[in-house]
Amino acid sequence: MKKKLISLLDDSTVSRLIKIVSHIRARCIRPSRNWIYKIAQRSRFPDVKTQVLSHPERHLFFGYYDVSPFSIDDRYALANLGPEENKRPDPNTQLSIGYFDRFDLGKGFTEIGHTETWGWQLGCRLQWYPYDSQSSVLYNKMVDKQYGCVAQDIGTKKIIEAYSFPVFTVSHDGRWALSLNFSRLQRLRPGYGFVNAPDETKDQLAPDRNGIWRIDLHSKKRELLFTLADAAAFQPHESMKGAAHYFNHLLFNPSASRFLFMHFWMKDERRYSRLITCGLDGSDWFPIANEGHASHYTWKNDHELIVYATHKNSGTHYYQYLDKTNERSIVGETHLTSDGHPTFSPDGRFLLVDTYPDRYSEQNVFLYTIKKDSMTQIGSFYNPDEYRGEIKCDLHPRWSPSGRFVCIDTACNNKRAMVIIDIQKLL
């Protein structure tokens, strides 16, 4: 009966059925809604091949969009295997660390280690180490009963190096890392930090001994570059008075000559944000977006970056900025009309971007062609109602090094999984 129905329904009819059933949002029809989404699987991936990486009982995901799960040859895909329940991690909830061999998915998930320091948004910052490796990884975990990280060989499963500090981002050559207070981040932005240690700065609005650290991963030397008090004093806004400040989202430019950071402040249950760039030593600050709202970002090269932000005279858009200047321009004004997670293709020709769930709980992934100012939809994914707030599941699309594959996290079958999409036909 189901096969006959599938053959009778064209893609447009299926799409209408999806929207009708999603719009009703009644729990009694949830099984029917999930069945309709299975019918619609073909229409959600137009002309592309996919691989689904999943586990029958546990949630499987990668994390944020600013690092890629793919090895340098596109063969291996890193993954985090989480618990059975989609709930806030507690200090004893372990995450299994491992990978899939895309040439032999029958092997399933290969576990190499575990960690207790993780969240649903950033994961444990699992990544290939250094960037062009396919044999060793870096991820955060407890080391000597405090936040730390380890470098590990995926073949032998041997810990190559253990560090007594966590990392947020790592330079492409594997030399430098940046770190912040993950407990403060978790308290002020639940879902992004770690829950394993108390926030000792909770009574301080803008701590003067807490901020962003630079780490030399070769020598293990750590240096506090600047503090939250420094950020609060830099070109202050009126809204900063009496506000609680924190940092999030750190990212090196390709050569690691500069990095960006997001400065947030909370006041009267409202969140404000701005994006600032600075030199590798923490000096030479430049406010890229400094009018109270800056969101997701990506470096295009050492000097240009894309940020979803608001400017009083031109509104909220994706903007392309030239670092250390006031030069900016709107990108994709008629196509890129909502916030998402942008990254450039390895050759710089395309911008990969997603959307948040719409009124029908649909999340979409698009390929924006910069020179042609055109948009192609890669896929559409249903986001269950339960995945909201701290335990949400954003798509966080990520490129493979070759630019042929895109990987996303999804919960469209009510269990987190990773989907790898071959977009060669769309390029």
Side-chain angles (χ1 to χ4, degrees):
M1 177 65 181
K2 290 182 181 179
K3 290 183 178 179
K4 185 176 181 180
L5 180 57
I6 291 173
S7 66
L8 293 175
L9 294 176
D10 59 24
D11 288 347
S12 63
T13 303
V14 169
S15 180
R16 286 195 294 271
L17 278 172
I18 290 171
K19 291 182 178 181
I20 291 171
V21 176
S22 297
H23 190 60
I24 294 173
R25 293 182 178 276
R27 185 166 294 276
C28 63
I29 59 85
R30 194 175 301 276
S32 298
R33 179 171 61 190
N34 291 338
W35 179 64
I36 288 176
Y37 270 90
K38 290 180 181 179
I39 292 176
Q41 190 76 13
R42 69 177 192 273
S43 67
R44 290 162 53 215
F45 299 106
D47 299 323
V48 293
K49 297 179 181 179
T50 63
Q51 289 179 313
V52 178
L53 312 181
S54 63
H55 189 276
E57 298 177 353
R58 297 167 63 181
H59 291 276
L60 187 136
F61 72 107
F62 181 68
Y64 216 51
Y65 74 102
D66 57 346
V67 290
S68 172
F70 294 96
S71 59
I72 193 65
D73 61 358
D74 290 356
R75 176 170 181 172
Y76 300 102
L78 300 176
N80 302 300
L81 187 58
E84 295 183 14
E85 295 183 79
N86 184 46
K87 65 178 183 179
R88 181 184 188 183
D90 62 48
N92 298 315
T93 305
Q94 288 195 346
L95 195 69
S96 296
I97 307 303
Y99 66 93
F100 287 86
D101 183 344
R102 296 186 46 250
F103 295 174
D104 189 1
L105 288 183
K107 293 181 180 178
F109 177 77
T110 299
E111 180 177 320
I112 65 167
H114 66 273
T115 181
E116 306 84 8
T117 57
W118 64 280
W120 289 116
Q121 299 309 304
L122 299 180
C124 59
R125 302 306 284 158
L126 174 64
Q127 55 197 283
W128 294 100
Y129 176 69
Y131 176 75
D132 60 355
S133 170
Q134 59 182 17
S135 61
S136 59
V137 298
L138 188 78
Y139 59 93
N140 290 322
K141 68 175 299 174
M142 299 299 286
V143 175
D144 297 330
K145 298 183 179 180
Q146 63 182 7
Y147 291 148
C149 69
V150 296
Q152 183 173 8
D153 186 285
I154 69 168
T156 64
K157 301 183 182 180
K158 180 181 178 181
I159 299 295
I160 302 168
E161 198 67 77
Y163 300 91
S164 59
F165 37 75
V167 301
F168 192 102
T169 189
V170 179
S171 62
H172 282 204
D173 63 2
R175 171 69 185 274
W176 303 103
L178 298 172
S179 185
L180 48 67
N181 185 335
F182 281 93
S183 291
R184 185 177 181 89
L185 176 58
Q186 173 63 22
R187 181 174 65 84
L188 295 172
R189 189 70 167 100
Y192 288 78
F194 304 149
V195 301
N196 310 78
D199 176 19
E200 297 178 353
T201 68
K202 64 180 181 180
D203 296 325
Q204 304 173 55
L205 294 178
D208 61 2
R209 296 184 180 180
N210 201 275
I212 293 178
W213 287 265
R214 186 187 67 183
I215 301 136
D216 185 332
L217 292 174
H218 292 178
S219 68
K220 295 188 177 182
K221 181 181 178 181
R222 182 175 67 165
E223 178 184 359
L224 180 62
L225 297 181
F226 50 82
T227 69
L228 282 162
D230 294 330
F234 177 71
Q235 299 185 13
H237 293 226
E238 183 67 25
S239 58
M240 291 182 183
K241 294 180 179 180
H245 298 254
Y246 67 97
F247 292 131
N248 197 1
H249 304 315
L250 322 176
L251 187 66
F252 288 106
N253 67 1
S255 71
S257 61
R258 292 179 68 78
F259 66 88
L260 64 80
F261 63 93
M262 296 282 288
H263 172 210
F264 293 87
W265 58 101
M266 297 283 295
K267 184 177 182 180
D268 299 328
E269 299 184 356
R270 180 177 175 181
R271 179 182 295 106
Y272 301 85
S273 57
R274 61 180 176 177
L275 188 147
I276 299 170
T277 63
C278 68
L280 179 61
D281 63 355
S283 66
D284 195 18
W285 286 27
F286 187 84
I288 291 290
N290 192 23
E291 297 185 39
H293 170 250
S295 186
H296 299 99
Y297 51 86
T298 187
W299 287 97
K300 183 179 182 180
N301 51 49
D302 273 352
H303 309 290
E304 296 175 297
L305 60 165
I306 296 282
V307 184
Y308 190 76
T310 300
H311 292 282
K312 182 178 180 180
N313 296 328
S314 51
T316 302
H317 303 278
Y318 278 103
Y319 289 91
Q320 180 168 301
Y321 300 86
L322 182 62
D323 192 17
K324 301 176 68 174
T325 76
N326 292 319
E327 183 179 324
R328 67 173 183 262
S329 59
I330 297 173
V331 177
E333 184 171 8
T334 59
H335 298 289
L336 303 175
T337 57
S338 62
D339 196 5
H341 304 91
T343 50
F344 282 97
S345 60
D347 62 11
R349 294 189 301 149
F350 304 99
L351 191 68
L352 179 67
V353 66
D354 64 340
T355 66
Y356 285 106
D358 62 18
R359 60 184 295 190
Y360 305 111
S361 294
E362 286 283 321
Q363 297 168 287
N364 300 292
V365 182
F366 296 101
L367 196 64
Y368 175 70
T369 305
I370 298 168
K371 284 189 176 181
K372 295 181 180 180
D373 186 30
S374 63
M375 186 98 88
T376 301
Q377 184 172 4
I378 295 176
S380 181
F381 305 84
Y382 169 64
N383 185 73
D385 296 342
E386 297 85 354
Y387 292 77
R388 296 289 190 271
E390 183 177 351
I391 57 174
K392 64 182 178 177
C393 181
D394 294 338
L395 298 180
H396 291 156
R398 302 157 291 251
W399 291 96
S400 72
S402 70
R404 175 174 175 173
F405 301 99
V406 168
C407 177
I408 60 105
D409 292 339
T410 178
C412 60
N413 289 322
N414 214 19
K415 194 69 90 174
R416 292 175 195 260
M418 295 164 59
V419 178
I420 294 176
I421 309 167
D422 185 342
I423 62 170
Q424 187 175 36
K425 291 184 178 180
L426 304 180
L427 298 177

